[in-house]
Amino acid sequence: MVNVEGITFAYNRTGKNVLEQIGFDIEEGQCIAVLGNNGAGKSTLLKCIDRICHAQEGSVAVDGKDVFSMHSSEMAQNIAYVPQNTGAINMTVYDAVLLGRRPYIKWDAAKEDREITSNIICKMKLEDYILRNVSELSGGEAQKVALARALAQEPRLLLLDEPTSNLDPHNQHEVLRLVRGIAKERKISVIIIIHDLNLAIRYCDRFLFLDGAKVYSYGGIETMTPEAIEEVYKMHVHIIEYMDIPVIVPFPDVKV
């Protein structure tokens, strides 16, 4: 269980709040989508949860433990964060994923650490790249390596900032399906920033709409309504079903 309460943040103390009293909770194994326009504070929210940005107010708890008072090693065992831009890493794919085991390694990687690394590499279908240097990979391949490293951490909370932005449509669905499966299997709570509403509605359990630095709405599929989308994105939409799959159809030329 993850509890986020009253997160308030401004980039300078005299400036306007980027986030204001943001609060929500996530059950084990749930994936939640953070939705909202550019500049709504989505990435900043993840950075506050991961202590990259220090919230002026609020708290985050993972399994009842205060994240803001955790030691860095305990933090790394509880929370894994994959940023929007991962950057090039000058090491092999295997070593990059093994790096995710660092919070658990005392002297050298144990057999269990290497087994976890190999299993994640297989699940992410990165076997063909295992000895390739990450800096030589495409943006999409490097993004999958960064996600594999985060999964190797075996966190209680996984933070993903636009994990599908560099992936082709096939890999977008494959990665989100994999993340959702691992989350349920290992009871990991996942927060995903995602711009594709159709991917969100298909692979996430709950939806957090941010608008004007505040929570517009938060809940299950019942909160993913045309009215909510139109209010937050200022764009007319219809939600239809095709083969029992909800599909959001935008009408950007229609005024709301």
Side-chain angles (χ1 to χ4, degrees):
M1 166 74 84
V2 176
N3 295 97
V4 177
E5 292 186 8
I7 294 293
T8 298
F9 177 81
Y11 281 100
N12 61 73
R13 293 192 177 276
T14 59
K16 183 179 179 181
N17 286 338
V18 178
L19 300 170
E20 193 169 318
Q21 294 296 311
I22 305 298
F24 57 95
D25 57 74
I26 320 171
E27 299 290 340
E28 291 181 338
Q30 280 189 338
C31 294
I32 79 161
V34 181
L35 307 170
N37 276 321
N38 293 334
K42 302 184 298 297
S43 295
T44 302
L45 174 61
L46 294 200
K47 291 176 182 178
C48 286
I49 293 172
D50 199 46
R51 299 194 321 204
I52 297 169
C53 293
H54 297 284
Q56 280 86 38
E57 296 179 24
S59 64
V60 179
V62 176
D63 294 334
K65 300 176 183 177
D66 179 14
V67 168
F68 293 164
S69 63
M70 284 181 180
H71 187 273
S72 57
S73 60
E74 184 183 10
M75 176 90 169
Q77 291 176 4
N78 280 276
I79 299 179
Y81 169 58
V82 181
Q84 191 172 341
N85 299 308
T86 55
I89 302 174
N90 188 26
M91 62 176 63
T92 66
V93 167
Y94 182 85
D95 287 338
V97 179
L98 181 62
L99 197 61
R101 299 300 302 162
R102 186 176 179 181
Y104 305 93
I105 296 173
K106 294 182 178 179
W107 298 102
D108 193 13
K111 180 181 178 182
E112 180 185 10
D113 299 310
R114 298 187 183 279
E115 286 177 349
I116 290 170
T117 298
S118 297
N119 288 338
I120 290 295
I121 287 173
C122 289
K123 284 191 174 184
M124 295 297 294
K125 298 185 179 178
L126 292 167
E127 306 100 306
D128 293 342
Y129 305 94
I130 196 166
L131 295 179
R132 289 270 303 275
N133 194 296
V134 178
S135 63
E136 300 172 355
L137 301 180
S138 70
E141 292 161 348
Q143 197 163 21
K144 289 178 72 174
V145 173
L147 177 56
R149 183 176 66 242
L151 290 169
Q153 279 182 239
E154 296 190 316
R156 301 292 297 126
L157 173 61
L158 178 60
L159 308 174
L160 304 178
D161 192 345
E162 297 189 42
T164 59
S165 60
N166 290 320
L167 302 179
D168 60 66
H170 173 79
N171 276 301
Q172 288 179 353
H173 286 272
E174 184 175 62
V175 164
L176 290 177
R177 187 166 58 245
L178 175 67
V179 168
R180 182 171 183 170
I182 290 176
K184 294 190 181 301
E185 175 189 338
R186 302 185 183 180
K187 298 181 178 179
I188 299 171
S189 301
V190 184
I191 303 177
I192 305 174
I193 294 175
I194 191 165
H195 283 296
D196 190 321
L197 296 177
N198 282 306
L199 289 174
I201 202 170
R202 189 162 182 176
Y203 293 105
C204 294
D205 304 294
R206 296 173 72 79
F207 309 94
L208 177 70
F209 282 97
L210 296 182
D211 187 38
K214 299 180 180 180
V215 174
Y216 173 82
S217 65
Y218 178 58
I221 191 66
E222 73 280 356
T223 65
M224 185 67 90
T225 65
E227 292 77 16
I229 295 169
E230 290 174 4
E231 181 67 28
V232 170
Y233 289 95
K234 306 301 185 283
M235 179 178 66
H236 184 61
V237 301
H238 287 181
I239 299 179
I240 63 175
E241 281 200 8
Y242 180 74
M243 298 178 67
D244 295 326
I245 298 172
V247 179
I248 298 168
V249 183
F251 293 89
D253 295 330
V254 178
K255 292 184 178 181
V256 296

